[in-house]
Amino acid sequence: MQKQWWHGKVAYQIYPKSFKDSNGDGIGDLRGIIEKLPYLHELGIEILWISPIYKSPFVDQGYDIADYQAIDPLFGSMADFDELLAKAKELNIAVIMDLVVNHCSSEHEWFKKACADPSCEEASYFYFREGKDGKAPNNLRANFGGSVWDKVPGQDNLYYCHFFAKEQPDLNWFNPKLRQRIYDMMNWWFEKGVAGFRVDAIMCIGKDPSFPMYPADALGDGMCACGVMNAEHNDVAEKFLQEMQDNTFRKHQAFSVGEVFGLQKDNTEKFIGDHGCFSTIFDFAAREALSTKPAYFAFEKLSVAQYRAVTFKAQELTNDCGFLAPVIENHDEPRGVSTWLPEMWQNARGAKALGTVNLMLRGIPFVFQGQEIGMTNTRFGSIYEFDDLQSKEEYRRCLDHGLSEETALRVLNDQARDNARTPMLWDDSRFAGFSTEVPWMKVHQDYKTLNVKAQIDDPNSVFSHYKALIALKKNPAYHETLTYGRFEALDDPNEHTLAFLRKGDGQTLLVAANFGLKEVAFKAPEGSRMLIKSGEASLENGEVHVAEGSSVVVELTK
Ligand code: TEU
Ligand code: CA
């Protein structure tokens, strides 16, 4: 495997609206991020992904971009962004942006021109199609519900395609002119000093431009989830992504992480191998195992054993061909501690043990803001406390399916994307030190005790544990093994333990996290060394003992 500058680093995701507000309008901004760069540096972060900060009407929180080369005034100015880049560089932090190019905003000038004159060049940047027999061109269902087709304003039988909200028209990747404009825009950011991109919803570009009808799925509305088309056309996405790599990333040795859902297994090497479409892709194995159910509300938690099985399988699949980016949560997910762990470990103790797994797996882990202090789901008391369009749509669908308001609210509390979008908890003051005024989203219920200030100097805190794990990854004595060393699963002694080895050149590390109710033990020959532990664990008589809710990293003697 060719070595690259991003190998062995730990990345951090900022959701800018909720990270830190610097000017008291209740909304996080770029100057807020600048202020907190030393915090990220102290944690050990070397790659920083900032979710969209471009000009946007914020129908989908900035994932609807109206101008790819402008900063939204809500977040600050281009000068603020340049300052952020320069200050991050001083701290050895590479900044990556969000590349949202499956779709843009209906407020983008391309779409406005296209609607005003469907025969103009910009109209060919979108999928404009005639309806069939008075109906939409086909029966695909958008990711946020409803048809992927809406009528072009002012037209009788002309539709445009959108795999997400109707305000997010899909871009026509089959048009080489459009592709070139995207590459030019990316190179413009690279020349500014941006180190790479997280590539949003990118498998959605794998389309069949003839848009055939699909067999209806189990939801009962006669439609089929649009992801089915994408899963059948990985090859289309791959072809475009290789061209994008050649024209952009490869020229700049830039880093790319794909938000890739629905990848067919035998395509892994094509996507993350040495000559793959991306530097890495997020590991959504557990998320995908959860979303096999036809409806959002029919969600069932994974057991620890199921979580272990899918996570380990993904590791084994990529051992020989590339790197995944392990995640336990992001801005589209409820908090990992609340989702993946049994109820008794949805606390600081569980957060630390889960962190051990997340950061010691093979790959380039992405920590989502607040994860490093063990943030759990936010408690929402009413539908009016949610902001996200998806949450509101799913709530409506729950009621349509006959669920009570109380049950629908419970579904959202478990699953809503807003769980992870509430303000970062900096201290115990009013509004948790996020802002001096009422924030745009409610503040997490536990902010008085669960916050950065309470943890930063406490050696037993979740923060200190994350910091130690990241430092271990950077330690020259372990860096090679923790970066390139193979992943090897160990048997699970109690159906609740994730245990594995990382095997490097003449070095073996044992990692274990126990989410059960009883202690577990692993062989660790005399002379082995405990490198990190959380909770209670000990090394004695040739064994390492890991108490319930605890985790270890042990260097096994040769
Ligand atoms: O998400 C893509 C995506 O597939 C989502 O539908 C995801 O599955 C869902 O949010 C899980 O609940 C990306 C962005 O991360 C997301 O925030 C955007 O809303 C979406 O693209 C559209 O740009
Ligand atoms: Ca602000």
Side-chain angles (χ1 to χ4, degrees):
M1 190 175 296
Q2 274 164 27
K3 296 203 170 177
Q4 305 287 356
W5 65 260
W6 50 83
H7 289 168
K9 300 203 161 155
V10 176
Y12 189 92
Q13 181 192 354
I14 283 187
Y15 195 65
K17 261 186 133 174
S18 298
F19 190 61
K20 171 73 190 169
D21 174 24
S22 74
N23 62 349
D25 63 358
I27 296 171
D29 47 51
L30 294 178
R31 300 220 70 82
I33 300 175
I34 292 172
E35 184 188 322
K36 296 296 182 187
L37 285 173
Y39 166 80
L40 299 177
H41 183 62
E42 176 171 357
L43 181 58
I45 297 305
E46 291 177 288
I47 298 175
L48 178 61
W49 156 32
I50 308 176
S51 275
I53 50 176
Y54 313 91
K55 195 161 186 320
S56 168
F58 293 96
V59 170
D60 185 21
Q61 295 306 354
Y63 282 92
D64 45 327
I65 298 173
D67 185 343
Y68 287 101
Q69 281 161 264
I71 303 289
D72 196 278
L74 209 56
F75 296 125
S77 65
M78 195 58 85
D80 294 330
F81 182 74
D82 290 336
E83 187 180 328
L84 193 162
L85 275 183
K87 296 225 161 111
K89 199 171 174 196
E90 278 167 27
L91 297 174
N92 200 22
I93 297 175
V95 176
I96 69 169
M97 298 187 80
D98 216 309
L99 183 69
V100 189
V101 288
N102 168 67
H103 47 266
C104 60
S105 160
S106 49
E107 298 288 305
H108 194 290
E109 65 158 23
W110 296 340
F111 193 68
K112 290 204 246 176
K113 282 189 184 161
C115 291
D117 174 10
S119 64
C120 75
E121 174 175 327
E122 282 79 3
S124 68
Y125 294 178
F126 299 92
Y127 293 107
F128 278 21
R129 294 288 185 277
E130 297 286 329
K132 286 191 183 133
D133 312 320
K135 290 201 209 124
N138 81 352
N139 65 336
L140 287 179
R141 186 191 310 108
N143 286 313
F144 295 147
S147 169
V148 301
W149 299 102
D150 259 274
K151 280 196 184 150
V152 175
Q155 302 289 324
D156 285 341
N157 194 36
L158 191 61
Y159 293 76
Y160 70 95
C161 175
H162 59 88
F163 272 25
F164 292 88
K166 67 177 192 315
E167 295 87 351
Q168 294 168 299
D170 280 20
L171 291 165
N172 173 13
W173 272 76
F174 291 90
N175 182 339
K177 279 195 189 152
L178 179 263
R179 299 204 299 275
Q180 191 56 50
R181 294 194 77 160
I182 292 172
Y183 305 153
D184 291 346
M185 174 272 288
M186 292 170 68
N187 287 326
W188 183 85
W189 285 105
F190 287 141
E191 267 138 40
K192 254 184 176 303
V194 165
F197 284 101
R198 173 263 188 187
V199 187
D200 183 70
I202 198 62
M203 297 310 275
C204 297
I205 70 174
K207 289 188 175 73
D208 174 348
S210 75
F211 292 102
M213 293 291 285
Y214 278 80
D217 64 25
L219 263 194
D221 55 6
M223 292 197 257
C224 169
C226 59
V228 171
M229 179 191 264
N230 302 140
E232 287 175 2
H233 298 288
N234 279 189
D235 54 331
V236 173
E238 189 204 332
K239 198 180 88 202
F240 293 143
L241 287 167
Q242 281 295 352
E243 183 193 83
M244 179 200 266
Q245 274 290 338
D246 285 338
N247 284 280
T248 59
F249 292 105
R250 283 190 188 119
K251 287 191 191 165
H252 298 269
Q253 276 95 49
F255 171 74
S256 56
V257 51
E259 191 204 19
V260 170
F261 283 103
L263 183 66
Q264 304 303 319
K265 235 200 239 144
D266 44 354
N267 281 338
T268 312
E269 181 143 15
K270 291 184 187 155
F271 274 69
I272 57 170
D274 270 344
H275 307 286
C277 299
F278 295 108
S279 311
T280 182
I281 59 177
F282 292 116
D283 176 11
F284 290 134
R287 172 49 44 178
E288 292 196 283
L290 252 187
S291 50
T292 51
K293 295 281 181 323
Y296 184 90
F297 54 80
F299 137 110
E300 260 171 57
K301 289 203 153 190
L302 298 187
S303 65
V304 173
Q306 286 168 318
Y307 182 78
R308 173 186 178 278
V310 293
T311 307
F312 284 12
K313 204 165 128 204
Q315 287 275 306
E316 281 158 359
L317 188 69
T318 49
N319 248 337
D320 293 311
C321 71
F323 288 109
L324 289 171
V327 283
I328 67 160
E329 66 205 23
N330 61 31
H331 67 292
D332 290 336
E333 312 287 338
R335 291 285 180 179
V337 171
S338 304
T339 305
W340 311 119
L341 300 185
E343 221 170 307
M344 71 266 197
W345 300 124
Q346 295 180 7
N347 48 33
R349 202 163 151 131
K352 284 186 238 174
L354 188 59
T356 303
V357 175
N358 186 227
L359 291 176
M360 294 294 113
L361 285 173
R362 193 171 165 286
I364 300 157
F366 274 67
V367 175
F368 179 70
Q369 65 183 46
Q371 178 186 328
E372 77 279 21
I373 56 168
M375 280 181 75
T376 53
N377 279 349
T378 303
R379 224 174 294 125
F380 296 93
S382 120
I383 182 65
Y384 300 107
E385 288 181 345
F386 291 92
D387 179 280
D388 179 27
L389 83 170
Q390 188 202 35
S391 304
K392 290 176 186 166
E393 171 66 22
E394 293 295 349
Y395 184 80
R396 206 185 49 74
R397 280 210 249 180
C398 285
L399 300 186
D400 285 353
H401 276 81
L403 271 62
S404 69
E405 288 183 6
E406 196 190 336
T407 311
L409 188 61
R410 208 175 320 129
V411 170
L412 289 197
N413 265 290
D414 275 345
Q415 285 231 71
R417 308 201 290 184
D418 281 341
N419 272 302
R421 296 179 178 187
T422 56
M424 177 70 184
L425 305 176
W426 295 106
D427 61 38
D428 59 359
S429 68
R430 201 160 167 235
F431 313 131
F434 163 72
S435 177
T436 51
E437 296 303 322
V438 181
W440 73 285
M441 273 286 275
K442 80 176 287 185
V443 174
H444 188 282
Q445 60 280 359
D446 296 338
Y447 77 97
K448 283 267 172 210
T449 50
L450 173 57
N451 60 61
V452 170
K453 189 168 161 236
Q455 295 196 14
I456 203 150
D457 297 320
D458 172 1
N460 289 316
S461 67
V462 181
F463 178 87
S464 295
H465 184 63
Y466 266 78
K467 192 174 150 179
L469 290 164
I470 297 172
L472 183 70
K473 255 185 102 108
K474 286 189 183 174
N475 182 334
Y478 303 102
H479 185 73
E480 283 288 312
T481 301
L482 286 174
T483 303
Y484 298 103
R486 292 182 70 77
F487 165 93
E488 209 177 287
L490 291 176
D491 287 339
D492 175 358
N494 67 350
E495 293 279 286
H496 283 92
T497 299
L498 282 81
F500 54 92
L501 302 177
R502 295 297 310 279
K503 283 188 163 170
D505 255 351
Q507 189 177 56
T508 302
L509 305 180
L510 179 151
V511 181
N514 174 7
F515 300 106
L517 289 171
K518 279 201 200 114
E519 175 186 293
V520 293
F522 297 89
K523 289 216 167 5
E526 217 63 54
S528 296
R529 294 205 309 140
M530 181 83 77
L531 301 180
I532 287 195
K533 67 174 175 177
S534 73
E536 295 129 49
S538 61
L539 258 179
E540 56 200 7
N541 308 326
E543 285 192 329
V544 53
H545 295 258
V546 188
E548 59 277 18
S550 302
S551 71
V552 294
V553 183
V554 174
E555 180 177 8
L556 299 180
T557 184
K558 278 162 222 158

